[in-house]
Amino acid sequence: LGYLAGAAYRVGAEGAEEFGEPFSPEKDFGELLGHTIYFYAKDTGAPVEYVAPEFALKADEIPKVIPRFEEITAKSHGTSLWWLEYGGRLDTIHDTEAIKWELWKVTYGVWDYLKNSGKFPEMANKTLEWVGAIPGKRESRRFEGDYMISQSDVIGQKRHRDAVAFGGWAVDLHPADGVYSEHAGCVQFHSKGVYQIPYRCMYSRNISNLFTAGRTISASHIAFGSTRVMMTTAHSAQAVGMAATICHENGSLPRDLLEEQTMQTLQTRLLRTGQYLPFVQIDDEADLARKARVEVSSERPLDSLPQSDKTAPMNAARALLMPAEKGAVPAFTFWFNVAQDTEIVFQLRTSERLGNYTPDTILAEKKCAVSAGSGVPVTVDFDRTLDQAQYLFACVMPCEGVEMILSDELISAVMSVAHIADPKVAKNAVQHPPEGSGFDSFEFWIPQRRPGGQLPAVEINPPVHAFGKEQLQTNVTRPLISSNTWVAANEDPNPTVTLRWDKVQTIRKIVLHFDVDWDHAMESVQFGHFDRAMPFCVKSFRLTDAEGTLLSQVGDNHHGRVEIILDTAIQTDGLKLEIHGTHGSPAAVNAIKVYG
């Protein structure tokens, strides 16, 4: 539609000099990402024969034509074969049918290789359950807006007055030859944190009433390598949908929304729907909860995590990532199983840029002599103070013959990370970009997906008060620089949040923000997921007004954002939220929003 309307667009890669993008690809790598296709396999419990269709690559051809054929294993199906990609040298718009048939040729041939090459006897009972009929299109046209996001926006995490979405994926480029390329299936490098995407990227610069969203936003080929992924494209689509609504209401055009007050209206409405806009600070004047007095039944101090029978070998550095208060940093006591007398090194780290979660700044280091034994406690006092609240990493560095004792308890806004590589996205625990590429070299400290990644057993003295009632009235509804989360005490039998006003309010809508775990996404069904439900999420609750009149009662909630719209507006000077159960962890609430 944009093309037929005459909207200015780009195809392929820009030269390095146009936007100052040193990562611009060489010619042999190619300028377009191709299409890909997925397939599912199923274990039938009995041997299944497979006869490949005539058009498929034959099993004995696979090692000859696919340079990375050794990466094909018995576990290779679904998302693990994302690199079955083709078409970057063709017209990715008009040649889609030809690209699809080539991908089918490869896919059915790969299955022939798995079933009939004789190298994978464990595949005997597997059958080809499903093959995609429509290839996934990675790249085609990108339409030009009033601003084109580029490599420096992503890596430099530039701030924009008109930020309406964000991204965080690596700059992830694939060779144009795809599955037939001698290059690795992808070349990707990360920023140290998330970045804003401005509204000016989401409408055409020369067609006055045309929005663009998703893969088609105004981005250079390099920045597109990050903005193109599905959850990021969903954010821009959400922004465009809301912007189109405002244009319809006001009889305005997309560019008109850049006016300061109108842009704040757009950003405020996005925030109300749950859109996250990093570092956009807007007070929602219509939110009555910001004017209320908040009372809570209890508060969970961050004081201790009890020991369990689980341990983690200290063959890699591990850290407790936690919100900390302004002032003195507390002392930490960890427990270890120690094979022989040794020395354990502890580091207190933070991020150079507030709001990032890359522990690239060492605030203090302590070395502790430790005797051999089981359940050995080690207390470390870093003797540091903080000039503002922020997230800290209490790091335990690698130590041979030592195991860290873990806890079974989980708490909202607190997590465990390790200095390791995620094999899905990196081959090394340190990012080593090519010299002159424009990317930073830094360490990866990442969470491990459950059931792994337990928090360390720890005592924190004095306790950190990071989960109080004041966290319910911040501008952010997820952990960022503070926890932005109220957590009830473990022993609280009836966790309750009460809002009170000095005078009667007219209330029509209440929005509850619960913790569905910002750190462990429920990933694609092709990966599977350990949790049946996110353990931090409030499962059952009851909401009443000041007189005890029931407004809403839910018994099996799984949502992070629960919007309660009353049939008729009520008059009251108070609201009470009673939490009757969660999916496993202590009750937690990120925010309560109230509107007339």
Side-chain angles (χ1 to χ4, degrees), residues 129 190 202 224 244 253 258 275 282 329 360 369 393-394 444 459 477 485 496 504 508 520 548 555 574:
E129 179 76 354
H190 299 257
M202 299 179 192
F224 169 86
L253 293 172
L258 290 174
Q275 183 92 321
I282 293 180
V329 175
D360 51 11
F393 294 78
F444 294 130
E459 283 188 359
T477 57
T485 309
T496 305
V504 170
R508 180 67 188 276
H520 291 79

Side-chain angles (χ1 to χ4, degrees), residues 26-55:
E26 301 290 339
K27 289 297 181 184
D28 72 318
F29 192 82
E31 296 188 10
L32 272 177
L33 284 72
H35 295 22
T36 196
I37 209 158
Y38 284 160
F39 65 89
Y40 294 163
K42 178 181 179 180
D43 191 329
T44 64
V48 179
E49 291 186 3
Y50 173 72
V51 179
E54 284 297 317
F55 62 79

Side-chain angles (χ1 to χ4, degrees), residues 362-485:
I362 300 174
L363 299 179
E365 180 176 287
K366 297 285 184 178
K367 299 178 180 179
C368 298
V370 183
S371 300
S374 299
V376 178
V378 181
T379 299
V380 56
D381 188 343
F382 291 108
D383 192 25
R384 289 299 300 260
T385 59
L386 302 176
D387 57 6
Q388 69 177 99
Q390 59 189 279
Y391 265 80
L392 290 178
F393 294 78
C395 306
V396 185
M397 307 312 288
C399 191
E400 186 177 348
V402 173
E403 294 177 331
M404 172 184 280
I405 295 178
L406 305 176
S407 178
D408 285 330
E409 187 170 340
L410 298 172
I411 309 177
S412 290
V414 178
M415 63 188 303
S416 171
V417 295
H419 177 29
I420 56 177
D422 181 348
K424 293 178 185 174
V425 297
K427 292 183 171 64
N428 196 295
V430 179
Q431 175 164 288
H432 294 295
E435 188 173 350
S437 65
F439 293 92
D440 297 316
S441 179
F442 62 94
E443 298 175 351
F444 294 130
W445 290 69
I446 60 177
Q448 294 172 281
R449 298 302 188 216
R450 288 190 289 270
Q454 289 104 330
L455 297 171
V458 66
E459 283 188 359
I460 300 171
N461 187 30
V464 174
H465 297 282
F467 305 118
K469 61 184 182 181
E470 69 281 356
Q471 300 293 337
L472 291 170
Q473 292 183 302
T474 65
N475 287 320
V476 185
T477 57
R478 65 172 67 189
L480 182 60
I481 294 167
S482 63
S483 75
N484 298 307
T485 309

Side-chain angles (χ1 to χ4, degrees), residues 236-293:
S236 66
Q238 176 82 352
V240 164
M242 189 63 74
T245 298
I246 295 174
C247 285
H248 180 68
E249 291 171 353
N250 299 343
S252 53
L253 293 172
R255 190 175 281 111
D256 298 335
L257 272 59
L258 290 174
E259 188 275 326
E260 183 176 0
Q261 195 58 47
T262 312
M263 178 51 58
Q264 286 196 6
T265 298
L266 172 58
Q267 291 170 325
T268 299
R269 289 199 186 182
L270 287 169
L271 291 168
R272 286 179 187 170
T273 64
Q275 183 92 321
Y276 175 52
L277 306 179
F279 305 107
V280 172
Q281 295 290 327
I282 293 180
D283 286 327
D284 187 352
E285 296 296 331
D287 179 12
L288 301 174
R290 296 187 63 79
K291 305 175 180 68
R293 297 190 311 278

